[in-house]
């Protein structure tokens, strides 16, 4: 299943993409796509629906985040060996974890609004993993059973805030609009191997990132297993699993986003995003 939400900010309706690529309105069946709907039972109910009986949405307009009720937005740093090399940092012996503040959670095509005084706003295409079943001290072999689905994430990052202002990565990771997610949440049954997905990202039509999740240092199953040893993962938690090489700070000389830039990115089977980049404007955040 490809689950989504459509409509203006704060007024999104739940939807599902049918086999013809047509959006069907789920609002007559559920109020919204919440963590409860992402549970195995909730997904089973949606999977059993006759989509042809649901209203077609001829012009869905804006796509919102593919689910609501985000609980934790957890990032993984330096999870591709070639990205660690371009950052001139050692390959980690254990996963590097950081938080993206929940207010960064935004729709796949919503604008990226750079914070005031930003000089080094960067891009990162990443595989997103959405938890559907509580995970606490999960054995490695059971880890993927806790996944509701997968999605595209742009882990937008302000590198000066991240690297040069006290060493706390979170500062540069969770600014408003720094977490575009979607266009869809693709249920786990449609992605039998999350370690074989191509990723790409363009800025102004130029390809900067090309990679494959096969090159992760720590795979999805291990990340869930590992995280469940140090925190409880709950339905509605989102994990951004790291990025392949080609980020702006790794270019020689470095390249960072500027007002008017257009970022496009995608992952095999999970759809595409496109964002325009803006200087800080409060009206674009509401």
């Amino acid at each position: 299943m490809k689950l989504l939400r459509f409509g203006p900010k704060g007024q999104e309706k739940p939807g599902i993409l049918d086999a013809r690529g047509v959006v069907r309105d789920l609002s007559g069946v559920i109020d919204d796509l919440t963590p409860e709907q992402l549970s195995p039972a909730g997904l089973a109910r949606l999977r059993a629906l006759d989509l042809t009986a649901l209203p077609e949405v001829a012009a869905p307009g804006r796509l919102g985040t593919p689910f609501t009720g985000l609980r934790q937005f957890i990032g993984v740093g330096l999870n591709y060996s070639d990205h660690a090399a371009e950052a001139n940092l050692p390959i980690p012996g254990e996963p590097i974890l950081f938080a993206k503040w929940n207010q960064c959670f935004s729709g796949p095509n919503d604008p990226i609004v750079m914070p005031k005084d930003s000089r080094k706003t960067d891009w990162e295409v990443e595989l997103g993993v959405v938890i559907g079943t509580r995970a606490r001290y999960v054995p490695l072999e059971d880890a993927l059973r806790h996944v509701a689905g997968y999605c595209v994430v742009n882990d937008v990052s302000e590198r000066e805030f991240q690297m040069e202002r006290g060493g706390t990565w979170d500062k540069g990771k969770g600014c408003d609009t720094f977490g575009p997610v979607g266009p869809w949440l693709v249920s786990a049954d449609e992605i039998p191997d999350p370690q074989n997905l191509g990723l790409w990202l363009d800025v102004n039509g130029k390809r900067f990132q090309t990679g494959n999740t096969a090159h992760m240092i720590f795979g999805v199953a291990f990340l869930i297993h590992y995280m469940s040893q140090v925190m409880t993962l709950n339905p509605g938690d989102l994990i951004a699993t790291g990025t392949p090489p080609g980020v702006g700070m790794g270019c020689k000389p470095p390249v960072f986003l500027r007002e008017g830039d257009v970022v496009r990115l995608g992952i095999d089977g999970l759809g595409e995003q496109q964002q325009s980049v803006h200087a800080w404007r409060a009206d674009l955040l509401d």
Side-chain angles (χ1 to χ4, degrees):
M1 293 183 295
K2 294 181 174 65
L3 302 172
L4 55 93
R5 296 168 68 246
F6 62 95
K9 287 185 181 180
Q11 302 176 44
E12 293 93 343
K13 293 182 177 181
I16 188 169
L17 209 65
D18 70 15
R20 296 184 295 123
V22 175
V23 174
R24 299 282 182 158
D25 189 343
L26 283 172
S27 61
V29 180
I30 56 174
D31 292 333
D32 213 336
L33 286 163
T34 64
E36 181 182 7
Q37 303 300 336
L38 302 180
S39 69
L43 292 174
R45 286 192 294 270
L46 296 177
R47 195 173 288 112
L49 294 173
D50 176 7
L51 300 190
T52 63
L54 299 175
E56 292 189 12
V57 183
R62 173 186 173 270
L63 294 179
T65 60
F67 65 98
T68 189
L70 175 70
R71 289 176 172 165
Q72 299 185 94
F73 197 158
I74 308 157
V76 182
L78 303 177
N79 198 28
Y80 289 71
S81 56
D82 36 11
H83 172 52
E86 74 172 350
N88 198 30
L89 293 168
I91 293 174
E94 295 191 25
I96 296 172
L97 306 182
F98 59 86
K100 288 181 73 73
W101 315 130
N102 284 9
Q103 72 264 19
C104 79
F105 192 44
S106 57
N109 306 316
D110 288 345
I112 294 171
V113 182
M114 296 182 291
K116 291 181 179 180
D117 302 319
S118 171
R119 295 183 296 177
K120 298 182 179 181
T121 296
D122 204 347
W123 57 82
E124 295 189 10
V125 59
E126 306 201 4
L127 172 65
V129 180
V130 180
I131 300 298
T133 303
R134 177 175 289 182
R136 182 183 290 151
Y137 294 105
V138 172
L140 179 61
E141 61 270 20
D142 293 335
L144 293 183
R145 298 178 186 174
H146 296 263
V147 176
Y150 301 94
C151 54
V152 182
V153 174
N154 188 355
D155 176 19
V156 185
S157 307
E158 214 298 343
R159 302 302 188 187
E160 182 179 359
F161 294 10
Q162 176 189 354
M163 304 280 195
E164 302 172 32
R165 295 180 60 176
T168 303
W169 280 24
D170 307 0
K171 292 178 185 177
K173 291 289 190 173
C175 303
D176 292 345
T177 76
F178 272 26
V181 175
W184 319 304
L185 172 62
V186 180
S187 57
D189 59 295
E190 292 198 9
I191 307 295
D193 183 6
Q195 303 308 148
N196 187 27
L197 300 173
L199 310 86
W200 58 270
L201 183 144
D202 297 345
V203 180
N204 300 330
K206 178 181 177 180
R207 181 63 46 92
F208 278 87
Q209 288 190 274
T210 303
N212 193 288
T213 57
H215 300 145
M216 284 184 183
I217 299 168
F218 306 106
V220 173
F222 183 83
L223 290 173
I224 294 169
H225 159 71
Y226 179 90
M227 290 181 187
S228 76
Q229 315 301 306
V230 297
M231 68 182 79
T232 298
L233 297 171
N234 285 297
D237 286 349
L238 172 59
I239 303 167
T241 57
T243 198
V247 300
M249 73 172 179
C251 296
K252 301 186 185 310
V255 176
F256 296 111
L257 294 172
R258 296 291 180 260
E259 184 169 24
D261 286 347
V262 176
V263 183
R264 290 185 61 242
L265 58 150
I267 300 178
D268 293 347
L270 302 182
E272 299 182 9
Q273 304 180 353
Q274 178 170 305
Q275 298 104 29
S276 58
V277 180
H278 298 262
W280 193 87
R281 281 173 48 190
D283 62 294
L284 292 175
L285 304 180
D286 302 321

Short mmCIF file of all heavy atoms in Angstrom, two decimals, residues 4-42:
data_model
loop_
_atom_site.label_atom_id
_atom_site.label_comp_id
_atom_site.label_asym_id
_atom_site.label_seq_id
_atom_site.Cartn_x
_atom_site.Cartn_y
_atom_site.Cartn_z
N LEU A 4 -0.96 8.15 2.02
CA LEU A 4 -0.59 9.56 1.89
C LEU A 4 -1.64 10.43 2.57
O LEU A 4 -2.70 9.94 2.98
CB LEU A 4 -0.45 9.93 0.42
CG LEU A 4 -1.68 9.65 -0.48
CD1 LEU A 4 -2.58 10.86 -0.59
CD2 LEU A 4 -1.25 9.18 -1.86
N ARG A 5 -1.32 11.70 2.66
CA ARG A 5 -2.27 12.69 3.16
C ARG A 5 -2.22 13.89 2.22
O ARG A 5 -1.15 14.29 1.78
CB ARG A 5 -1.92 13.09 4.59
CG ARG A 5 -2.04 11.92 5.56
CD ARG A 5 -1.44 12.19 6.93
NE ARG A 5 -2.18 13.19 7.67
CZ ARG A 5 -1.71 14.38 7.99
NH1 ARG A 5 -0.48 14.75 7.59
NH2 ARG A 5 -2.44 15.23 8.68
N PHE A 6 -3.39 14.45 1.92
CA PHE A 6 -3.46 15.52 0.94
C PHE A 6 -4.33 16.65 1.47
O PHE A 6 -5.23 16.44 2.28
CB PHE A 6 -4.02 15.00 -0.40
CG PHE A 6 -5.42 14.45 -0.31
CD1 PHE A 6 -6.53 15.24 -0.60
CD2 PHE A 6 -5.65 13.12 0.07
CE1 PHE A 6 -7.82 14.74 -0.51
CE2 PHE A 6 -6.94 12.61 0.16
CZ PHE A 6 -8.03 13.42 -0.14
N GLY A 7 -4.02 17.86 1.01
CA GLY A 7 -4.80 19.02 1.40
C GLY A 7 -3.95 20.10 2.04
O GLY A 7 -2.76 19.91 2.30
N PRO A 8 -4.54 21.26 2.32
CA PRO A 8 -3.79 22.37 2.94
C PRO A 8 -3.27 21.98 4.31
O PRO A 8 -3.78 21.06 4.96
CB PRO A 8 -4.84 23.49 3.04
CG PRO A 8 -5.92 23.11 2.08
CD PRO A 8 -5.95 21.62 2.03
N LYS A 9 -2.25 22.71 4.76
CA LYS A 9 -1.68 22.45 6.08
C LYS A 9 -2.76 22.55 7.15
O LYS A 9 -3.53 23.51 7.19
CB LYS A 9 -0.57 23.46 6.39
CG LYS A 9 0.71 23.24 5.62
CD LYS A 9 1.78 24.22 6.08
CE LYS A 9 3.08 24.02 5.31
NZ LYS A 9 4.13 24.98 5.76
N GLY A 10 -2.78 21.55 8.00
CA GLY A 10 -3.76 21.51 9.09
C GLY A 10 -5.12 21.00 8.68
O GLY A 10 -5.99 20.82 9.54
N GLN A 11 -5.33 20.75 7.39
CA GLN A 11 -6.63 20.26 6.91
C GLN A 11 -6.45 19.01 6.05
O GLN A 11 -7.33 18.67 5.25
CB GLN A 11 -7.32 21.35 6.08
CG GLN A 11 -7.55 22.65 6.82
CD GLN A 11 -8.14 23.72 5.93
OE1 GLN A 11 -9.08 23.47 5.15
NE2 GLN A 11 -7.60 24.93 6.00
N GLU A 12 -5.36 18.30 6.23
CA GLU A 12 -5.08 17.13 5.40
C GLU A 12 -6.10 16.02 5.61
O GLU A 12 -6.60 15.81 6.72
CB GLU A 12 -3.68 16.60 5.70
CG GLU A 12 -2.56 17.53 5.30
CD GLU A 12 -2.10 18.43 6.42
OE1 GLU A 12 -2.86 18.58 7.42
OE2 GLU A 12 -1.00 19.00 6.32
N LYS A 13 -6.36 15.31 4.54
CA LYS A 13 -7.21 14.12 4.58
C LYS A 13 -6.35 12.88 4.28
O LYS A 13 -5.36 12.98 3.53
CB LYS A 13 -8.34 14.21 3.54
CG LYS A 13 -9.36 15.29 3.83
CD LYS A 13 -10.46 15.25 2.76
CE LYS A 13 -11.55 16.27 3.04
NZ LYS A 13 -12.64 16.21 2.02
N PRO A 14 -6.72 11.73 4.83
CA PRO A 14 -5.97 10.52 4.52
C PRO A 14 -6.33 9.98 3.14
O PRO A 14 -7.48 10.08 2.69
CB PRO A 14 -6.41 9.55 5.62
CG PRO A 14 -7.82 9.99 5.95
CD PRO A 14 -7.81 11.49 5.80
N GLY A 15 -5.35 9.40 2.48
CA GLY A 15 -5.59 8.84 1.15
C GLY A 15 -4.73 7.61 0.92
O GLY A 15 -3.83 7.28 1.70
N ILE A 16 -5.02 6.95 -0.18
CA ILE A 16 -4.27 5.76 -0.59
C ILE A 16 -4.16 5.77 -2.10
O ILE A 16 -5.10 6.21 -2.80
CB ILE A 16 -4.95 4.48 -0.06
CG1 ILE A 16 -4.09 3.24 -0.30
CG2 ILE A 16 -6.36 4.31 -0.64
CD1 ILE A 16 -4.60 2.00 0.42
N LEU A 17 -3.05 5.33 -2.62
CA LEU A 17 -2.83 5.30 -4.06
C LEU A 17 -3.27 3.94 -4.59
O LEU A 17 -2.85 2.90 -4.08
CB LEU A 17 -1.35 5.52 -4.34
CG LEU A 17 -0.95 6.18 -5.67
CD1 LEU A 17 -1.47 7.61 -5.73
CD2 LEU A 17 0.56 6.15 -5.83
N ASP A 18 -4.14 3.93 -5.61
CA ASP A 18 -4.59 2.65 -6.14
C ASP A 18 -3.62 2.14 -7.21
O ASP A 18 -2.59 2.77 -7.50
CB ASP A 18 -6.03 2.73 -6.66
CG ASP A 18 -6.19 3.56 -7.94
OD1 ASP A 18 -5.19 3.86 -8.61
OD2 ASP A 18 -7.36 3.90 -8.27
N ALA A 19 -3.93 1.01 -7.81
CA ALA A 19 -3.02 0.36 -8.76
C ALA A 19 -2.79 1.19 -10.01
O ALA A 19 -1.79 1.01 -10.71
CB ALA A 19 -3.56 -1.02 -9.14
N ARG A 20 -3.71 2.11 -10.30
CA ARG A 20 -3.57 2.97 -11.48
C ARG A 20 -2.86 4.28 -11.15
O ARG A 20 -2.71 5.14 -12.01
CB ARG A 20 -4.95 3.27 -12.08
CG ARG A 20 -5.68 2.05 -12.61
CD ARG A 20 -6.99 2.43 -13.28
NE ARG A 20 -7.93 3.00 -12.32
CZ ARG A 20 -8.49 4.19 -12.42
NH1 ARG A 20 -8.16 4.99 -13.43
NH2 ARG A 20 -9.35 4.62 -11.52
N GLY A 21 -2.43 4.44 -9.90
CA GLY A 21 -1.79 5.67 -9.48
C GLY A 21 -2.75 6.78 -9.16
O GLY A 21 -2.36 7.95 -9.09
N VAL A 22 -4.03 6.44 -8.94
CA VAL A 22 -5.05 7.42 -8.61
C VAL A 22 -5.20 7.49 -7.09
O VAL A 22 -5.24 6.46 -6.40
CB VAL A 22 -6.40 7.04 -9.25
CG1 VAL A 22 -7.52 7.98 -8.80
CG2 VAL A 22 -6.28 7.04 -10.76
N VAL A 23 -5.27 8.71 -6.57
CA VAL A 23 -5.47 8.89 -5.14
C VAL A 23 -6.93 8.60 -4.79
O VAL A 23 -7.86 9.11 -5.43
CB VAL A 23 -5.10 10.32 -4.70
CG1 VAL A 23 -5.44 10.55 -3.23
CG2 VAL A 23 -3.62 10.58 -4.96
N ARG A 24 -7.13 7.79 -3.76
CA ARG A 24 -8.46 7.48 -3.25
C ARG A 24 -8.60 8.06 -1.84
O ARG A 24 -7.67 7.99 -1.03
CB ARG A 24 -8.69 5.97 -3.19
CG ARG A 24 -8.59 5.28 -4.55
CD ARG A 24 -9.84 5.47 -5.37
NE ARG A 24 -9.77 4.76 -6.65
CZ ARG A 24 -10.85 4.42 -7.37
NH1 ARG A 24 -12.07 4.72 -6.94
NH2 ARG A 24 -10.70 3.79 -8.52
N ASP A 25 -9.75 8.63 -1.55
CA ASP A 25 -10.00 9.31 -0.29
C ASP A 25 -10.37 8.30 0.79
O ASP A 25 -11.35 7.55 0.65
CB ASP A 25 -11.14 10.32 -0.49
CG ASP A 25 -11.34 11.24 0.70
OD1 ASP A 25 -10.84 10.94 1.80
OD2 ASP A 25 -12.01 12.27 0.52
N LEU A 26 -9.59 8.28 1.87
CA LEU A 26 -9.85 7.37 2.99
C LEU A 26 -10.63 8.01 4.12
O LEU A 26 -10.89 7.36 5.13
CB LEU A 26 -8.52 6.86 3.56
CG LEU A 26 -7.77 5.77 2.80
CD1 LEU A 26 -6.39 5.56 3.43
CD2 LEU A 26 -8.55 4.46 2.80
N SER A 27 -11.00 9.28 3.97
CA SER A 27 -11.59 9.99 5.11
C SER A 27 -12.96 9.45 5.51
O SER A 27 -13.42 9.72 6.62
CB SER A 27 -11.68 11.49 4.81
OG SER A 27 -12.50 11.75 3.69
N GLY A 28 -13.61 8.69 4.63
CA GLY A 28 -14.87 8.05 5.02
C GLY A 28 -14.66 6.77 5.81
O GLY A 28 -15.63 6.19 6.34
N VAL A 29 -13.42 6.33 5.89
CA VAL A 29 -13.08 5.08 6.57
C VAL A 29 -12.34 5.34 7.88
O VAL A 29 -12.61 4.71 8.90
CB VAL A 29 -12.22 4.18 5.65
CG1 VAL A 29 -11.85 2.88 6.35
CG2 VAL A 29 -12.94 3.91 4.33
N ILE A 30 -11.38 6.27 7.84
CA ILE A 30 -10.61 6.64 9.03
C ILE A 30 -10.52 8.16 9.10
O ILE A 30 -10.64 8.86 8.09
CB ILE A 30 -9.19 6.05 9.00
CG1 ILE A 30 -8.44 6.47 7.74
CG2 ILE A 30 -9.24 4.53 9.14
CD1 ILE A 30 -6.98 6.04 7.71
N ASP A 31 -10.31 8.68 10.30
CA ASP A 31 -10.19 10.12 10.46
C ASP A 31 -8.86 10.62 9.91
O ASP A 31 -8.79 11.71 9.33
CB ASP A 31 -10.31 10.52 11.93
CG ASP A 31 -11.71 10.29 12.48
OD1 ASP A 31 -12.67 10.34 11.68
OD2 ASP A 31 -11.83 10.07 13.70
N ASP A 32 -7.79 9.85 10.11
CA ASP A 32 -6.47 10.26 9.66
C ASP A 32 -5.54 9.06 9.72
O ASP A 32 -5.89 8.01 10.27
CB ASP A 32 -5.92 11.40 10.53
CG ASP A 32 -5.04 12.37 9.75
OD1 ASP A 32 -4.48 11.96 8.71
OD2 ASP A 32 -4.90 13.54 10.18
N LEU A 33 -4.36 9.21 9.17
CA LEU A 33 -3.34 8.17 9.22
C LEU A 33 -2.47 8.44 10.44
O LEU A 33 -1.51 9.21 10.40
CB LEU A 33 -2.51 8.16 7.94
CG LEU A 33 -3.26 7.58 6.73
CD1 LEU A 33 -2.58 7.96 5.42
CD2 LEU A 33 -3.37 6.06 6.85
N THR A 34 -2.83 7.82 11.54
CA THR A 34 -2.22 8.03 12.83
C THR A 34 -1.36 6.81 13.20
O THR A 34 -1.42 5.77 12.53
CB THR A 34 -3.30 8.21 13.89
OG1 THR A 34 -4.06 6.97 13.97
CG2 THR A 34 -4.25 9.35 13.54
N PRO A 35 -0.58 6.89 14.27
CA PRO A 35 0.18 5.70 14.71
C PRO A 35 -0.71 4.48 14.91
O PRO A 35 -0.28 3.35 14.63
CB PRO A 35 0.80 6.17 16.02
CG PRO A 35 1.03 7.64 15.79
CD PRO A 35 -0.18 8.09 15.03
N GLU A 36 -1.93 4.67 15.36
CA GLU A 36 -2.85 3.53 15.52
C GLU A 36 -3.10 2.83 14.19
O GLU A 36 -3.15 1.60 14.10
CB GLU A 36 -4.17 3.98 16.14
CG GLU A 36 -5.17 2.86 16.35
CD GLU A 36 -6.49 3.34 16.91
OE1 GLU A 36 -6.69 4.57 17.00
OE2 GLU A 36 -7.33 2.49 17.26
N GLN A 37 -3.25 3.62 13.12
CA GLN A 37 -3.49 3.04 11.81
C GLN A 37 -2.25 2.35 11.24
O GLN A 37 -2.35 1.56 10.31
CB GLN A 37 -3.96 4.13 10.84
CG GLN A 37 -5.20 4.88 11.27
CD GLN A 37 -6.41 3.99 11.45
OE1 GLN A 37 -6.49 2.92 10.86
NE2 GLN A 37 -7.35 4.43 12.27
N LEU A 38 -1.08 2.65 11.80
CA LEU A 38 0.17 2.06 11.32
C LEU A 38 0.49 0.74 12.02
O LEU A 38 1.48 0.09 11.69
CB LEU A 38 1.33 3.03 11.53
CG LEU A 38 1.19 4.40 10.86
CD1 LEU A 38 2.42 5.26 11.13
CD2 LEU A 38 0.94 4.27 9.36
N SER A 39 -0.34 0.35 12.97
CA SER A 39 -0.15 -0.94 13.64
C SER A 39 -0.47 -2.07 12.66
O SER A 39 -1.14 -1.86 11.64
CB SER A 39 -1.08 -1.04 14.85
OG SER A 39 -2.44 -1.13 14.42
N PRO A 40 -0.02 -3.29 12.93
CA PRO A 40 -0.37 -4.40 12.04
C PRO A 40 -1.86 -4.55 11.84
O PRO A 40 -2.32 -4.79 10.70
CB PRO A 40 0.23 -5.61 12.75
CG PRO A 40 1.39 -5.06 13.52
CD PRO A 40 0.94 -3.70 13.98
N ALA A 41 -2.64 -4.38 12.91
CA ALA A 41 -4.10 -4.49 12.77
C ALA A 41 -4.66 -3.36 11.92
O ALA A 41 -5.54 -3.57 11.07
CB ALA A 41 -4.76 -4.51 14.15
N GLY A 42 -4.15 -2.14 12.14
CA GLY A 42 -4.64 -1.00 11.37
C GLY A 42 -4.31 -1.14 9.90
O GLY A 42 -5.15 -0.87 9.03
#
